[in-house]
Amino acid sequence: MTLWRIDTAAQTLVLGSDGGMTCCHYWGAPLALDTDLDALVAAGAGGITGGMLDALPPLSLIPEARRSFPGQPGLVAYRDGAPLEPEWRFEGADWGEALILRHTAPGLRLDIIARAMDHGLIALSARLTSDAPLTLHHLALALPVPPHLSHLTEMAGRWTREFQPVTTALDHGARLRDARTGRSGHEHPPHLWLTARGTTNTVGEAFALHYGWSGGHRMLVETLPEGRRQIQLGHCAGSERAPGTDFATAEIWLARGDQGLNSVSVPFQRAIRDRLPPARQPRPVHYNGWEAIYFRHDADELAQIAERAAALGAERFVLDDGWFGQRDDDTSSLGDWVIDPHKHPQGFGPLIDKVQALGMRFGLWFEPEMVNENSALYRAHPDWVLGPADQIRGRNQLHLDLSRQDVRDYLFDRISAILSAWDIDHVKWDHNRLTPWPDAAQTRGVYALLDRLRAAHPAVEWESCASGGGRIDAGILGRCARVWLSDSNDALERLRIQHHAACLLPACATGSHVGPRECHTSGRVLPMTLRAWTAAQRHMGFEMDPRELTEAEAQTLTRVTAWWKANRGWMMAGDIWRLDRPAGALAEMQLAADGSRLVIFAAQIETQTALQPPPLRLTALDPAARYRLRMIERPRGHPASVTAITRGEVVLEGASLMAQGLALPPAFPQTIAVIEGERL
């Protein structure tokens, strides 16, 4: 199967051919009944219209059990307890901003919607409507997988170790992933690649898919005995808990490239950047006090921390958990969104005045979807909890049922009152436990509440956090300008996490903070140079007690922060190009949108095997242009570790930098090289 194009102007959609399996070919002009479809597809166009409808199967991307398809069907539903196995008839297509392929069966309609996106992406979705209520177990779009795409790479992970790639060689049988945690998840974010053998960051064919839904998804990759393959994506099975007459998948975003993983990752970065809601420009340096004070809120201490953070270069001060109710630990007060009068007797006024006098804006933490049993809200409304009373607790809290309008109204009123009373320009929206079961209505309720708050407070920016990176997807990123990528501030872990997350996330949406000297989630002690430059690769911030810094650490952090501020304009609007390195090393290049500027971050994580590291081959440059490069951060290493770039500026052609590469000096582990470049 080859992914070609969707062109609404020419009324052309061609997704591919695999010898008769689920696929979609559509050509807007009438075709003769004797048209050779295989030849037409091979020539780069394909389709069915007009009189061909009676002679050919429906144009559906949903495999049908009733047609003796031996694999997993794309629709599993029940009406009055009996399996629903409709006989679909293709009724035609509607062209507009999207292509809608209409299918009908008695009492049912199925629409397949395809739209062209910028940056070469295609978005696919499905909508199922019924004249009478039915129970939906599973609805998914399916695409054929050609034999030469022999490997599947999924993202896996856990708390503090998100976005870890796992690659599987596709063979006979099925691989099923049913993400049932109620969010897109640390364990299985809804982004994956199909690749040809030998594909790396910079070479080889890749096909990327992303399911833009925050409530859990179901992925099936299946190889049938005769060799045909399909991949399905939809909501996790059983997440539509109530009978209904109208169901829809989220959009599947598709990209294909033949120049490595970058050729599908950069289009996704650009599409996500286009999707982000408006945000304050330039992007401000964050300070978040969570790992400095946790639940301990003391006015004098907060003022001292704010002064120190501002002196280091912070531009936004975010007050995290602990400001409300009687919140002295994680067992109390979630749901009671009223300022604690003991910790903040004059409300947020004195702290906001202090923060603004230091030239910073003020942000605040909420966890709207949750409730503690030790709270006024729970005592008044135990019926508002999602799930049974005897469910297993997580982080001493329960889920509120956001499918209920009265619950959403309560949360809107409480949160809106805080945002209206105080000068708050940023909200960190957290989500620290799993749902008791997957529930699509819960996710729709989260979207509805967030959309309503955004409309009522358009000047407020929103950040998505779910125990770190537990809810990162195109659905939430249409509502939040930033995501908190991980609760780990360990720079070595962060390097890996944010490097792999660049398959989807642009730098401007990816929060990355300089953590404490001794990391609270790993116990590691890492040099400030590595910690600061790791944060400077994304949307930069600090999250430590700044009073712990030595003078040397403060100087390094101030220097790197000043560099980030001077370069954030083009970096936050540019692309992240990951570079190929040996095991134990990571490197990436950030390139301005117009290609005029670049910066290279090359980290040595472990002791290198070879004495001299291989040259660093760049990518995406103009082969005919000349580039001036200079090293602004030299990695620690033996004094004799010298190459041309360590002696001063070098000027090389783009073709040479991409083919031969740049010689880096041998470096000690846990160090980083930073190289600036400009096109001459």
Side-chain angles (χ1 to χ4, degrees), residues 477-556:
L477 282 161
R479 296 166 169 89
C480 296
R482 188 181 197 255
V483 294
W484 182 230
L485 183 59
S486 177
D487 280 345
S488 174
N489 283 319
D490 180 306
L492 295 183
E493 297 295 344
R494 273 278 171 165
L495 280 169
R496 296 186 184 98
I497 295 167
Q498 64 194 28
H499 183 78
H500 297 310
C503 67
L504 175 68
L505 294 177
C508 63
T510 309
S512 188
H513 293 175
V514 180
R517 181 184 299 115
E518 181 177 341
C519 179
H520 292 188
T521 58
S522 71
R524 252 194 298 243
V525 176
L526 296 169
M528 176 56 78
T529 301
L530 180 68
R531 289 151 59 198
W533 282 115
T534 297
Q537 296 176 39
R538 300 296 187 265
H539 184 185
M540 189 177 188
F542 320 143
E543 188 166 341
M544 89 295 270
D545 189 336
R547 298 170 299 179
E548 77 172 19
L549 299 179
T550 66
E551 186 60 34
E553 288 173 331
Q555 289 178 0
T556 297

Side-chain angles (χ1 to χ4, degrees), residues 308-333:
R308 189 69 170 130
L312 293 166
E315 298 165 308
R316 176 181 279 155
F317 185 97
V318 180
L319 188 66
D320 213 282
D321 194 356
W323 57 266
F324 54 93
Q326 297 176 336
R327 183 74 165 173
D328 297 322
D329 56 34
D330 63 11
T331 66
S332 167
S333 301

